[in-house]
Amino acid sequence: MATTSPPAQAPDVRVVPDEQDRSSSHLYVSMGPQHPSTHGVLRLKARIDGERIVDVDPDIGYLHRCFEKHSEQLTYPQIVPYTDRCDYLAAINNELTFALAVEKLLGLEVPPRAQYLRVITMELQRIASHLIAFGTFAMDLGATTAFLYCWRERESIINLLEEISGARMLFHYVRIGGVRNDVTDDWLRRVRAFVDDFISDKLPQYHRLITGNRLFVRRTKGIAVLTPEDAIAWGASGPVLRGSGVARDLRKVEPYCGIEKYDFNVPVGENGDVFDRYMVRMLEMEESAKIIKQALEGIEAGDVMAPLPRRWKVEGETYVRTEGPKGEVGCYLVGDGSDKPYRLHWRAPSFVHLQLIPVISKGLLIADLVAVIGSLDPVFGEVDR
Amino acid sequence: MGVNPVVHSGDPEINAAGHPGVLTTSLRKVLNWSRKASLWYMTFGIACCAIEMMATGASRYDFDRFGMIFRASPRQSDLMIVSGTVNEKLAERIVNLYDQMAEPRYVIAMGACATNGGPYHGLYNVVNGVHEIIPVDVYVPGCPPRPEALLHGVLQLHEKILNEGLPVRA
């Protein structure tokens, strides 16, 4: 709908100073970096008038771990585990983005079975990431029960992924040229069982528990509305963009891993408020489950790794983007013919979404700030990198 | 209970069935026992390890079994679990938070990053281990450590607390 409209003028956001201006009646509040609801080490410098937010300015950099510069000292296969640690809630999607970029420069052809496994694991990871987004968001609004419920399902996903990769969180499963391990038929059956159970039993539980809850709806409906024009102008992507009603999913626009063969919908919101962003995530989990089911039916036997060159000569530059759980994960890679990248830039959706906080939270109550952060679902590993 | 009771053998009435009983122990043991059994930790997730810390607190591993409840304020917590990479910008804040905690206070360095920088060892901006800025009681290795490993680290800290002496008045 709004995809064709020109980007709106970027609103003017004044940076909140560190020093207090004693001449005005506004109060400066520093929220974080140690705060249970900032989803990591985010600090918000807010200027408030009574209970209302006048201005808010995110302060980042508390988790800067030199990812991009460090990558220039590492060989390509060595970088893969570091990409896990960018968005640590969606390790598979990050590995995939980097692997796709290197494969594109190398001209590697990935075997079909590996393509299917990539689709299965990345959608499982999307469900796991959305579960955390849902659980922590609900907990921030005061519903601790939902948090405990969603961890139950996340542990099931982790069990499945741990079995094939050996790690609980930072899987290092998708490698350049394919995936690390082949899976057994029994594993595929258990993925199927999990997905069926998740869709028929667990997801309706969440909806009964949270979605229809009056307190929850009152705290999320109509809060922090992001218009489609603003969403596009500020570079939003993923559930944040789709929550504003823009049906743009990179799995549809720029398919990868053969995802164009699958039949799934792109859920969009109507109002662009906190509730819509939450609801888009909940509906996306269903779509992910659909994709997994189709992949499980279509999976074929074969190799899971393409033959790799003995000497790595990666040359040229490329930008590869995939649809991560948080939004567009992009990898800009420049190779100079050696086995190490000349430059690696990581496009992190959370980083882009953080700049929306000043845009959408003006005039809100200070308690709503927590709901705003939860609905944007930032992860600070990838914000600061 | 980690207290060794001293039974009054000379008083048969105390040892009789149905008597509420009297327990003699040292103040040190009672204090240490109660401290280790209600170790409240601060919610301060830094990086990837914080997710495993949350997993340890959530439904499957359940920190509550050890009397551990997360507190949002450093002033109410006894334990700081440093769960992630500490960089120069954050180091100042961690020292600040540590200073705000009431004594006796304990620190668990969770994961490779907090232990010695881990995969980010030696990079610009990264503090090579949280022991460079605050004292650490227990190190838990792993990247990230499994919840079982963190639980084991907590049990090690329990052992340490049980064997502590009374604070000496200056």
Side-chain angles (χ1 to χ4, degrees):
Chain A
M1 41 179 284
T3 36
T4 50
S5 66
Q9 185 73 39
D12 174 46
V13 179
R14 259 184 51 196
V15 174
V16 182
D18 269 324
E19 297 296 314
Q20 275 222 27
D21 176 16
R22 297 208 179 275
S23 60
S24 80
S25 64
H26 293 155
L27 183 70
Y28 291 93
V29 175
S30 173
M31 181 173 161
Q34 190 265 329
H35 188 283
S37 304
T38 51
H39 291 215
V41 278
L42 167 67
R43 177 172 167 234
L44 290 172
K45 292 183 277 184
R47 189 149 59 93
I48 56 172
D49 184 7
E51 280 277 300
R52 297 276 168 190
I53 297 163
V54 180
D55 227 346
V56 57
D57 181 33
D59 179 17
I60 59 169
Y62 289 101
L63 194 55
H64 177 59
R65 306 196 272 196
C66 332
F67 166 65
E68 289 178 7
K69 192 70 189 162
H70 187 205
S71 301
E72 292 165 18
Q73 303 162 13
L74 302 169
T75 60
Y76 288 97
Q78 282 177 335
I79 297 171
V80 181
Y82 283 92
T83 60
D84 284 355
R85 284 155 182 79
C86 281
D87 180 354
Y88 39 79
L89 292 178
I92 300 261
N93 298 74
N94 285 325
E95 292 162 8
L96 182 67
T97 313
F98 180 71
L100 286 175
V102 179
E103 282 157 13
K104 195 170 161 191
L105 287 184
L106 279 175
L108 274 181
E109 197 65 43
V110 178
R113 187 174 174 83
Q115 299 276 29
Y116 280 108
L117 286 177
R118 282 179 174 190
V119 170
I120 293 171
T121 48
M122 93 185 177
E123 295 303 324
L124 277 177
Q125 181 76 84
R126 190 185 312 277
I127 295 178
S129 172
H130 283 349
L131 277 176
I132 296 223
F134 160 70
T136 50
F137 178 49
M139 189 167 74
D140 292 346
L141 296 181
T144 318
T145 325
F147 173 75
L148 297 173
Y149 272 74
C150 81
W151 274 92
R152 184 187 59 187
E153 268 69 70
R154 187 174 182 270
E155 290 284 346
S156 315
I157 297 178
I158 285 177
N159 270 359
L160 289 168
L161 291 176
E162 185 186 0
E163 197 175 319
I164 56 172
S165 69
R168 266 176 59 86
M169 242 178 79
L170 309 169
F171 300 107
H172 198 190
Y173 180 64
V174 177
R175 305 280 172 100
I176 298 163
V179 294
R180 176 67 184 85
N181 295 317
D182 201 355
V183 301
T184 60
D185 288 346
D186 185 45
W187 187 82
L188 295 172
R189 262 196 301 279
R190 272 178 287 139
V191 171
R192 173 83 201 203
F194 166 76
V195 169
D196 285 343
D197 176 56
F198 183 71
I199 289 304
S200 63
D201 185 32
K202 299 303 191 303
L203 209 52
Q205 265 184 28
Y206 301 153
H207 283 303
R208 279 202 303 276
L209 187 67
I210 294 292
T211 311
N213 188 311
R214 253 165 61 196
L215 293 173
F216 179 78
V217 173
R218 282 287 292 276
R219 283 207 64 183
T220 52
K221 275 260 185 204
I223 303 288
V225 175
L226 177 67
T227 60
E229 291 77 21
D230 270 353
I232 294 169
W234 286 88
S237 53
V240 178
L241 180 67
R242 292 194 285 275
S244 295
V246 184
R248 187 171 183 278
D249 190 320
L250 286 171
R251 288 173 294 177
K252 292 277 190 197
V253 181
E254 286 179 17
Y256 49 91
C257 294
I259 198 118
E260 65 274 10
K261 289 180 295 190
Y262 298 86
D263 168 39
F264 65 99
N265 302 324
V266 179
V268 290
E270 288 164 4
N271 309 319
D273 55 6
V274 170
F275 185 80
D276 280 4
R277 291 194 276 277
Y278 155 81
M279 208 56 205
V280 164
R281 288 199 182 90
M282 299 301 276
L283 295 174
E284 263 184 26
M285 286 200 268
E286 270 176 50
E287 300 303 320
S288 291
K290 252 198 218 164
I291 296 174
I292 294 172
K293 277 186 192 171
Q294 291 169 44
L296 288 173
E297 274 159 22
I299 194 164
E300 46 197 88
D303 282 339
V304 293
M305 257 322 232
L308 291 175
R310 282 192 58 176
R311 280 185 58 83
W312 291 69
K313 290 188 84 171
V314 185
E315 229 165 353
E317 67 181 292
T318 184
Y319 180 71
V320 169
R321 50 189 182 174
T322 63
E323 183 72 30
K326 316 276 184 307
E328 175 185 329
V329 184
C331 176
Y332 173 68
L333 190 63
V334 184
D336 56 357
S338 69
D339 58 348
K340 293 170 185 165
Y342 176 76
R343 174 82 171 96
L344 171 69
H345 173 72
W346 202 255
R347 196 258 188 210
S350 301
F351 176 67
V352 179
H353 291 161
L354 269 193
Q355 61 181 344
L356 290 171
I357 292 180
V359 183
I360 56 180
S361 55
K362 271 193 190 132
L364 294 181
L365 293 173
I366 190 138
D368 291 333
L369 205 49
V370 169
V372 172
I373 301 169
S375 76
L376 295 178
D377 187 24
V379 164
F380 283 83
E382 69 170 2
V383 171
D384 298 333
R385 300 192 281 282
Chain B
M1 185 161 166
V3 185
N4 299 325
V6 179
V7 178
H8 287 251
S9 52
D11 191 349
E13 203 181 305
I14 288 178
N15 291 321
H19 194 275
V22 173
L23 206 66
T24 332
T25 180
S26 67
L27 178 65
R28 178 183 74 89
K29 282 181 178 168
V30 170
L31 275 182
N32 288 345
W33 170 78
S34 50
R35 266 175 196 157
K36 77 128 215 209
S38 63
L39 208 55
W40 290 2
Y41 64 104
M42 185 167 64
T43 40
F44 186 33
I46 300 175
C48 335
C49 288
I51 307 297
E52 287 297 64
M53 185 173 83
M54 280 156 67
T56 322
S59 28
R60 187 172 180 183
Y61 294 96
D62 197 7
F63 251 160
D64 281 11
R65 291 180 292 163
F66 303 99
M68 295 179 71
I69 308 169
F70 65 82
R71 305 302 297 172
S73 162
R75 299 192 192 277
Q76 298 170 353
S77 42
D78 313 300
L79 170 65
M80 182 199 272
I81 301 178
V82 183
S83 55
T85 319
V86 182
N87 70 13
E88 304 271 341
K89 189 171 180 179
L90 191 64
E92 194 186 319
R93 296 308 178 111
I94 288 188
V95 173
N96 200 353
L97 287 169
Y98 181 76
D99 289 344
Q100 285 175 358
M101 285 164 68
E103 286 181 345
R105 54 197 171 188
Y106 306 97
V107 175
I108 290 183
M110 180 185 181
C113 291
T115 304
N116 72 342
Y120 300 95
H121 179 89
L123 294 180
Y124 73 92
N125 198 32
V126 172
V127 175
N128 295 326
V130 73
H131 57 261
E132 292 192 356
I133 47 174
I134 52 173
V136 176
D137 293 283
V138 176
Y139 294 91
V140 181
C143 188
R146 300 178 59 87
E148 291 95 332
L150 181 60
L151 287 178
H152 182 69
V154 168
L155 293 179
Q156 294 284 308
L157 184 61
H158 283 180
E159 288 290 312
K160 185 173 178 175
I161 294 172
L162 275 182
N163 292 316
E164 269 184 346
L166 279 177
V168 183
R169 183 169 290 182

